[in-house]
Amino acid sequence: MKGQNEIAFLSNSIRYFIESHIGRTGLDRGISYALQYDMKAVTNYLKANPGLRFPGYLLHQSTCLYKSIQEINTFYTALLNDGHISDWDMDEAREEIKRNFGLEKDKKIINSYIPFDLQLPIQRELAAESNGKSKINFPKIFTSDLFEVNDAAHDALFVLENELIANENLEYEVSKLLSRQSNKELLI
């Protein structure tokens, strides 16, 4: 019963997130963090109770929201790259994710934004190639293991979480870019 309540709270949290951002530029960090907290709670209940059904409407809400945030992230990436938008395919994304630098070939300091729904299958593939010993470049806030749980509900929540984190990072980079402009404006 508690897990079902958490699922209802997540649906309301997504609805509140969307309603709060109507007519707003950028994402409100407090509301974003609250949504991330609710997603974490639901993911933990789903892991602990595999028989608990994740409603299709909530999967749709989560997927639509992360797609919208991806569009914002793509826009921010274009601002940061003088209008250039990378059109990632699986091979290019795989190559970018696998690229490492330094003597040990395990250091990648500066990352390119690649939509997380494209990264997720590549990360799983790379981990499978190295018998699960591959390092994951995603933040881990869920107690669920990325490779242990592989279903649409977990994936949608996982991608949404990482798109929100990427948005915060990209928004910070855009604000730094804006602060370096003499007139504090960007012409689009």
Side-chain angles (χ1 to χ4, degrees), residues 89-105:
D89 65 24
M90 282 295 253
D91 293 332
E92 290 172 327
R94 184 179 297 105
E95 184 179 317
E96 184 68 21
I97 290 169
K98 289 173 73 172
R99 183 176 293 131
N100 291 306
F101 302 94
L103 180 63
E104 300 293 324
K105 297 292 183 203

Side-chain angles (χ1 to χ4, degrees), residues 122-137:
I122 295 169
Q123 289 286 358
R124 284 193 174 116
E125 176 185 306
L126 294 175
E129 287 174 5
S130 64
N131 296 324
K133 296 177 185 170
S134 175
K135 290 184 180 178
I136 302 169
N137 293 325

Side-chain angles (χ1 to χ4, degrees), residues 2-187:
K2 188 173 181 184
Q4 291 173 344
N5 286 337
E6 295 295 336
I7 287 173
F9 290 146
L10 178 57
S11 178
N12 290 335
S13 185
I14 290 172
R15 187 177 308 111
Y16 178 74
F17 181 93
I18 292 168
E19 289 171 359
S20 297
H21 287 90
I22 294 173
R24 179 184 168 85
T25 302
L27 299 185
D28 182 297
R29 290 294 140 229
I31 296 170
S32 176
Y33 295 156
L35 177 59
Q36 292 171 41
Y37 177 81
D38 290 344
M39 289 187 311
K40 181 178 180 177
V42 167
T43 303
N44 292 338
Y45 280 113
L46 289 174
K47 182 180 180 194
N49 303 298
L52 190 61
R53 192 176 82 74
F54 191 83
Y57 73 90
L58 189 52
L59 178 61
H60 179 72
Q61 278 183 311
S62 304
T63 302
C64 289
L65 183 55
Y66 85 64
K67 295 271 185 200
S68 297
I69 294 171
Q70 275 180 353
E71 294 296 323
I72 295 169
N73 291 346
T74 300
F75 174 69
Y76 286 165
T77 301
L79 289 176
L80 294 169
N81 295 308
D82 294 324
H84 175 73
I85 299 173
S86 296
D87 187 23
W88 297 100
D89 65 24
M90 282 295 253
D91 293 332
E92 290 172 327
R94 184 179 297 105
E95 184 179 317
E96 184 68 21
I97 290 169
K98 289 173 73 172
R99 183 176 293 131
N100 291 306
F101 302 94
L103 180 63
E104 300 293 324
K105 297 292 183 203
D106 64 352
K107 304 281 189 241
K108 186 170 184 186
I109 306 299
I110 300 169
N111 292 314
S112 301
Y113 170 73
I114 301 171
F116 286 90
D117 59 346
L118 184 60
Q119 287 189 46
L120 188 58
I122 295 169
Q123 289 286 358
R124 284 193 174 116
E125 176 185 306
L126 294 175
E129 287 174 5
S130 64
N131 296 324
K133 296 177 185 170
S134 175
K135 290 184 180 178
I136 302 169
N137 293 325
F138 296 141
K140 186 175 182 190
I141 66 147
F142 296 147
T143 58
S144 304
D145 184 355
L146 169 64
F147 302 106
E148 177 185 310
V149 180
N150 182 7
D151 63 30
H154 281 86
D155 286 358
L157 294 176
F158 184 79
V159 170
L160 177 55
E161 166 67 22
N162 284 282
E163 289 295 342
L164 288 167
I165 293 168
N167 179 271
E168 184 175 359
N169 184 312
L170 290 166
E171 202 168 272
Y172 172 75
E173 294 299 325
V174 168
S175 78
K176 281 189 349 187
L177 174 67
L178 190 58
S179 71
R180 291 191 299 262
Q181 303 297 322
S182 60
N183 57 359
K184 307 293 186 232
E185 293 180 346
L186 291 174
L187 295 177

